[in-house]
Amino acid sequence: MDYKDTLLMPKTDFPMRGNLPNREPEMQAKWEEMEIYKKVQERTAERPFFVLHDGPPYANGDLHMGHALNKVLKDMIVRHKSMTGFHSPYVPGWDTHGLPIEQALVNKGVKRKDYSIAEFRKMCEEYALGQIDSQRSQFKRIGVRGDWDNPYITLKPSFEARQIQVFGEMAKKGYIYKGLRPVYWSPSSESALAEAEIEYQDKKSPSIYVSFPVKDGLGVLEEDVNFLIWTTTPWTIPANLGISVHPEFTYVIVKAQEEKFLIAKDLLTFVAEEIGWEDYTVERELQGSELDRVVAKHPLYDRDSLVMLGEHVSADAGTGCVHTAPGHGEDDFYVSKAYGIDALSPIDNRGVMTDEAPGFEGLFYEDANKAVTEALDKVGSLKKLSFITHSYPHDWRTKKPVIYRATAQWFASIESFRPELLQAIKDTKFTPSWGETRLYNMVRDRGDWCISRQRVWGVPIPVFYGEDEEPIITDETIANVAEIFREHGSNVWFERDAKDLLPEGFTHPSSPNGLFTKETDIMDVWFDSGSTHQGVLDERDDLVYPADLYLEGSDQYRGWFNSSLTTSVAINGHAPYKGILSHGFTLDGNGRKMSKSLGNVIIPAKVMNQMGADILRLWVSSVDYTADVRVSDSNFKQVSEVYRKIRNTFRFIHGNTSDFNPATNRVQFEDLRPVDQYVYVKLQDLIKEVREAYENYEFASVYHATNNFCTGVLSSFYLDIAKDVVYIENKDHPHRRAMQTVMHDTLMALVQLLTPILPHTADEMWAHFEHVEEESVQLTDMPEAQDLGAEAEKLREQFGTLMLIRDDVLKALEVARTEKIIGKSLEAKVTIYVPEAYTDVFKVKDIDFAQFFIVSEFTEGNIADAPEQALKLDTVSVLVEAANGEKCDRCWTISETVGSDELHPEICERCATVVKEHYTLTE
């Protein structure tokens, strides 16, 4: 007979090859057909909420690796929570207003001035909705589960209405005001910017030292003394109205190059080297406080420059005498305001100098740098010109430099409720923990929030003006605008006159004739996304406020985390989140930022088309996402190899449990052999470790723990020794059913534990299970680690030692193979010579040590009896010899019983018994 027919070989339809790029879309179509998101929500509906609130990506462009990292992290958390006792809905969202969409239309050839504001805004809306459709399909391809048919979108009327209510509530509490002060201004965008819209890049700038002669020294300074200032923005010199000095600094009058200059004493050596003074003398010293209200003369105009005391003056660089232009610097503005000096900002929206800068009208500010410097040189006030490269603020959208410019803007006061903001941060759980310090310091040090923008694509600032041009914001006007927006959308603001947006019959003391106008600025887009806790969490019945978790990139400490905190604390007194989790940026393999110009961009769609979404997701789980993450093709190849091992483990176990019914064939833990009990204990350890890692958002620990378990415990040990049982013994042999019990529970646990990371593969495997009721693994809960008591610790200790000894035996077998003593390990007879410390582990009952070491013969001796040729290793000495007997044609062991059975002379006694009792002999 053919003895192969008597072996119980693996049987499974689960494919060896993943073929993920083709199979995943089929799986996703199945999920859509079965409405998997809806079914998950229905199953968990009675459980406590865990809400991860989606920070809205911007609706413009295809997805990059940062999007993939972000969305996969969110999806893993939501999937884990829904399988561990929580109701965890996920509502994806999009940020849809702002300059990039306006710019995208212009780039497509739309001529802005050919359309009314309302028409142009309608085009922006259509563009944004198209981008959402594109991004939605890409997110779904990654396998992100969510309410994709009902996302939140910031341009939706219901959202805009809630945003208006947030603004109104903040205004009611006195947190909203209009004021003239310097803000970040982007000439390239022709709009004010918030801090969150600024990024820093290196920029080459002129560095000039300029003298301002004393006009009135108030008896403190002679009129032949010059204040020496330093600046990297010569274009602001026409806006100079003063010079700031520190009241506590010591200043010196220095004679150099036939002139007298006043500078800070601590900066004298530095300045002398910078300007090139070889010979100079210090004539006298005086305190900064003595210089208060001394008057200097502007070097270019017949205008005074008042000396003011300012704590902002530093001795880190410059001269200690700070050129002060209140229209172009925040510190300058406030110190000048204290002295009753109004801001002067001789520059327009486009960055062009106005007629308030005589001699430089019509010049773009950067071109004015050269012209101003030449003018200063002409009058003898330029003492040094050089160029420096320094970190300078840029518009994060246009990538062009920004300026400080004093304009009338709408602000949200931070100072009014800063203590409440800082307390809310302390009440929040941060992962990683340093996030708390980062956000705390940002909020502690930030100024008021400039919330107005001079654009058209956004939510209008709902402010009316009376005949005296004073702003009108009342409960009545806010409620009416919110109601109109909820019904018609915010475009109505640009379609109707002010009177048609006000409540019917509205009157106000500032307009005795009943004439009103409306604000033309829109809100900062960060106010949009910063209002999602009301427009989404509080608005929708399927979510709760505050959310349990906000998860975004680390740049959002100054962005969404910050704006959301501000609006939530302002109107409700607490943070919109219980916890914050942040991740780093994705970089290329060399640690560089990805960019098209460098040609180092890795596109998620390309990875998925070549390898599959589950490979992308497994990569996300493998990295330390709390720091910046490097990504390269080699990373995906390494992860693919791990995926292959996991998939092969699934397939092997499934094939070897195809005839196992857990309802009828299960063996209880106490009836398992020690080796099976040990692996079952290791499985419980894995479940506990993985569950804890998920709970702490430590996905790399999940990745490494499952990979190590599949390779170290299963593939190279348990599944290897299992072949001698599950293939060889009869179908219902107790040892075989014992191993199948462990393998079945292991496979079920692995599939469920890996579902958040590998949802496609997990559900594919689940579809091959016969004895499950749920149609998807997503409709199950993760396994709980069983407490196996003191027996578990005993097994860990015993087999911990045995596994160390097994490592030494494998080394000895490898040496014997090299020396041609044996070929395969089953050709070996192994004798282990054991020290006294290890003798007890070999007294454990019911362990087949030949099977454990995958050899044909095993004997044990005392270390003192070890022969010379025995290999001395870390734990024991091992003698490997060729086993005695013949090779069994069925189990391949070498046995002296081969030939002893007349009916089956080609096989060993053990196999002959199995064959005679369970298989019919055929000719």
Side-chain angles (χ1 to χ4, degrees), residues 625-822:
Y625 63 85
T626 60
D628 289 345
V629 177
R630 297 188 181 195
V631 54
S632 64
D633 291 336
S634 63
N635 294 143
F636 291 116
K637 288 174 183 175
Q638 292 167 5
V639 168
S640 294
E641 190 58 30
V642 172
Y643 174 83
R644 187 183 64 80
K645 291 176 182 176
I646 292 171
R647 188 177 182 91
N648 286 346
T649 301
F650 283 7
R651 187 171 187 272
F652 182 89
I653 296 178
H654 186 255
N656 283 291
T657 53
S658 58
D659 61 355
F660 179 80
N661 184 338
T664 56
N665 302 136
R666 174 176 294 281
V667 178
Q668 296 304 309
F669 178 78
E670 55 270 20
D671 297 324
L672 299 173
R673 297 177 303 161
V675 68
D676 306 318
Q677 289 181 333
Y678 167 67
V679 174
Y680 205 77
V681 166
K682 294 295 285 182
L683 175 62
Q684 306 316 307
D685 292 345
L686 175 74
I687 292 170
K688 182 181 179 184
E689 182 180 356
V690 167
R691 290 283 300 263
E692 288 179 356
Y694 272 126
E695 207 60 49
N696 295 319
Y697 311 128
E698 295 170 353
F699 306 111
S701 296
V702 176
Y703 171 85
H704 290 297
T706 51
N707 182 32
N708 293 341
F709 184 81
C710 286
T711 54
V713 177
L714 297 179
S715 297
S716 64
F717 170 55
Y718 192 64
L719 301 184
D720 207 9
I721 69 172
K723 296 170 188 174
D724 191 54
V725 176
V726 294
Y727 294 0
I728 306 301
E729 301 294 357
N730 72 74
K731 179 180 176 183
D732 291 313
H733 192 284
H735 292 177
R736 186 170 184 273
R737 291 305 191 196
M739 289 194 120
Q740 285 184 316
T741 297
V742 176
M743 285 195 283
H744 169 271
D745 287 5
T746 296
L747 180 57
M748 290 287 290
L750 283 173
V751 169
Q752 290 171 314
L753 292 173
L754 288 171
T755 293
I757 299 173
L758 304 173
H760 305 91
T761 303
D763 245 347
E764 182 191 356
M765 184 73 261
W766 191 265
H768 287 79
F769 290 164
E770 291 183 22
H771 307 290
V772 293
E773 296 178 1
E774 299 85 357
E775 57 184 324
S776 166
V777 67
Q778 299 175 58
L779 301 174
T780 70
D781 281 338
M782 283 193 177
E784 299 273 0
Q786 298 176 34
D787 183 1
L788 299 173
E791 184 64 23
E793 190 51 47
K794 182 180 174 185
L795 286 161
R796 287 191 198 95
E797 189 176 331
Q798 290 174 337
F799 277 87
T801 302
L802 282 172
M803 294 302 284
L804 290 173
I805 294 172
R806 188 173 185 271
D807 289 341
D808 278 349
V809 170
L810 294 177
K811 291 175 189 173
L813 289 169
E814 191 57 40
V815 171
R817 191 176 290 112
T818 303
E819 295 176 353
K820 310 295 185 186
I821 297 171
I822 60 168

Side-chain angles (χ1 to χ4, degrees), residues 140 240 366 468 491 625 767 830 889 901:
K140 290 168 75 173
N240 175 280
E366 288 194 329
D468 62 359
N491 222 25
Y625 63 85
V830 165
D889 282 358
D901 189 286

Side-chain angles (χ1 to χ4, degrees), residues 302-323:
D302 184 16
R303 189 167 74 209
D304 292 345
S305 188
L306 183 68
V307 177
M308 300 172 277
L309 305 183
E311 300 283 345
H312 65 286
V313 178
S314 80
D316 294 334
T319 66
C321 300
V322 176
H323 151 53

Side-chain angles (χ1 to χ4, degrees), residues 357-431:
F360 310 104
E361 310 95 312
L363 288 176
F364 184 61
Y365 78 96
E366 288 194 329
D367 298 326
N369 276 332
K370 183 178 181 182
V372 170
T373 302
E374 290 174 346
L376 289 168
D377 190 31
K378 190 174 181 180
V379 299
S381 291
L382 181 68
K383 301 307 171 186
K384 175 67 185 289
L385 165 65
S386 59
F387 291 89
I388 63 169
T389 298
H390 59 149
S391 182
Y392 190 84
H394 285 64
D395 184 329
W396 74 329
R397 294 188 180 92
T398 65
K399 309 302 180 186
K400 298 287 180 65
V402 301
I403 60 176
Y404 258 110
R405 177 177 179 238
T407 58
Q409 300 288 341
W410 285 97
F411 295 90
S413 170
I414 301 300
E415 194 60 41
S416 300
F417 55 100
R418 197 186 306 274
E420 290 87 347
L421 288 168
L422 297 175
Q423 183 57 49
I425 293 170
K426 291 179 181 178
D427 295 338
T428 301
K429 181 180 180 183
F430 287 83
T431 307

Side-chain angles (χ1 to χ4, degrees), residues 304-365:
D304 292 345
S305 188
L306 183 68
V307 177
M308 300 172 277
L309 305 183
E311 300 283 345
H312 65 286
V313 178
S314 80
D316 294 334
T319 66
C321 300
V322 176
H323 151 53
T324 301
H328 296 291
E330 192 167 19
D331 290 326
D332 303 38
F333 177 81
Y334 286 117
V335 71
S336 299
K337 188 177 180 181
Y339 280 79
I341 298 175
D342 293 331
L344 168 64
S345 183
I347 190 168
D348 69 13
N349 291 359
R350 297 173 297 123
V352 174
M353 307 298 284
T354 68
D355 57 9
E356 289 184 295
F360 310 104
E361 310 95 312
L363 288 176
F364 184 61
Y365 78 96

